[in-house]
Amino acid sequence: MAAIVAAAAAALVAVSVGVSPAVADTGPRLDVAPADLAASLTCSAGIDNATQDPVLLIPGTTLTADVNFDWNYERAFAAVGRSYCAVTLPNHGMSDIQVSAEYVVSALRTMADRAGRHVDVVGFSQGGMITRWALKFWPDTRGDVDDVIGIDPSNHGTLDAFAICATGCAPSIWQQRTGSRFLATLNAGRETYSGINYTQVYSVQDEVVVPNLPPDASSSLYTGPGRISNIAVQQICPAHVADHLMMGTIDPVAYAVVIDALDHAGPADAARIDRAVCSAPLMPGVDPVALPANELRFNSQVATSLAGAPHVAVEPPLQPYARS
């Protein structure tokens, strides 16, 4: 009888905050120390009691949040008064993504609590994919999220990782290899969830997330009840040249798609994008004078992370919660 009463009480609490009882499930316990989770998140002004949905920025593999975003997206958002937070994943995103996902779970919960409203997620590469692991295994976070926007996300992995991991590689690169156990688990069943908008913007010239060619681009999503928009920047600007690293830092077309998703109900719509963006050299926020120094900082961190990250011989095992 006590168990029935407890379950009923939990359901009543869930309904009272606008979340279905199923979504109120908080998923597995977070094993990362709370102090480490808190320290990983940095936020702009305006997060508390926000007047519009704040944005969570998640960097790509090999990168910290500042090197990925403080010279582009953060500057662009600050210029228009859009509040944001950025989360730095452990070891520059080179560690087990299952552990890194705990940082995303904590960030979503913290931001939703502070803002008192939904959170929009903008992530690059691994950062565009990792939120989906959080949503899959920590169901309460689904009620915190409105938009999941991936810039060249590694949703279905990359063939490049086979060569990189031939003699061992970082855990997260194993997990982003096409056909990995991690990705098979992530994409099993539904890829999206009801009530969440998914925008995946990618370049057909991506040399890191390979292959990224429609109709089966690695970045694209296909299943589940979420609203999905898969957009190649070449759909908007057919002659557009953009590689992987450009897409996550300076590309004006990718930025235009991100903003379209943030500013409209539902996912982005390529038809709404002003084609004048095709002639723009850089996305808003990027200072042309500081560009060479920032690109050097960015590329140096990528190279240092790849060279210095500990290698493992096999893909990390799935966590117990992901095996059922």
Side-chain angles (χ1 to χ4, degrees):
M1 180 66 178
I4 295 174
V5 172
L12 181 61
V13 169
V15 170
S16 71
V17 297
V19 180
S20 71
V23 172
D25 180 2
T26 58
R29 177 177 61 89
L30 300 183
D31 291 328
V32 177
D36 292 338
L37 295 173
S40 72
L41 190 68
T42 58
C43 297
S44 70
I47 289 295
D48 298 299
N49 303 311
T51 57
Q52 65 177 155
D53 293 352
V55 178
L56 173 61
L57 293 165
I58 309 178
T61 308
T62 73
L63 296 165
T64 54
D66 57 342
V67 171
N68 200 154
F69 296 120
D70 70 5
W71 54 287
N72 42 60
Y73 276 85
E74 291 184 10
R75 284 171 52 89
F77 288 168
V80 296
R82 191 185 298 274
S83 59
Y84 62 85
C85 295
V87 61
T88 292
L89 306 179
N91 301 317
H92 297 186
M94 303 292 276
S95 297
D96 184 343
I97 299 174
Q98 297 168 106
V99 176
S100 297
E102 296 191 17
Y103 289 75
V104 176
V105 170
S106 176
L108 292 173
R109 291 171 174 169
T110 298
M111 289 180 66
D113 285 346
R114 290 181 60 181
R117 57 191 305 136
H118 289 114
V119 176
D120 295 327
V121 181
V122 175
F124 168 51
S125 197
Q126 179 191 152
M129 169 270 289
I130 193 173
T131 300
R132 296 183 48 235
W133 189 269
L135 296 172
K136 187 178 186 81
F137 291 107
W138 286 269
D140 67 294
T141 62
R142 298 172 203 163
D144 295 334
V145 175
D146 182 34
D147 284 282
V148 174
I149 305 168
I151 305 170
D152 276 351
S154 51
N155 285 320
H156 295 274
T158 176
L159 296 175
D160 284 359
F162 282 90
I164 296 172
C165 295
T167 58
C169 61
S172 71
I173 297 180
W174 274 110
Q175 291 167 316
Q176 292 175 91
R177 189 178 68 156
T178 302
S180 70
R181 289 190 302 273
F182 173 87
L183 289 173
T185 301
L186 173 64
N187 294 313
R190 67 184 71 181
E191 294 180 329
T192 66
Y193 291 93
S194 179
I196 301 176
N197 306 301
Y198 296 81
T199 297
Q200 314 302 299
V201 57
Y202 63 94
S203 173
V204 300
Q205 298 166 344
D206 193 327
E207 79 289 8
V208 174
V209 176
V210 176
N212 235 355
L213 300 171
D216 297 315
S218 179
S219 289
S220 294
L221 297 174
Y222 307 98
T223 67
R227 298 178 64 184
I228 302 170
S229 181
N230 299 315
I231 301 175
V233 291
Q234 288 78 16
Q235 291 174 236
I236 299 167
C237 306
H240 190 60
V241 177
D243 66 14
H244 188 74
L245 299 184
M246 289 171 60
M247 285 287 290
T249 55
I250 64 173
D251 190 73
V253 187
Y255 176 80
V257 174
V258 169
I259 294 302
D260 187 79
L262 293 176
D263 286 349
H264 294 88
D269 182 348
R272 286 194 297 250
I273 305 299
D274 185 348
R275 267 47 183 179
V277 74
C278 300
S279 60
L282 299 168
M283 64 167 276
V286 176
D287 179 356
V289 175
L291 178 60
N294 282 316
E295 287 188 322
L296 177 61
R297 181 170 64 120
F298 182 95
N299 291 327
S300 296
Q301 186 168 92
V302 171
T304 301
S305 298
L306 287 172
H311 287 192
V312 295
V314 295
E315 180 186 343
L318 290 173
Q319 292 285 342
Y321 67 77
R323 296 175 194 164
S324 57

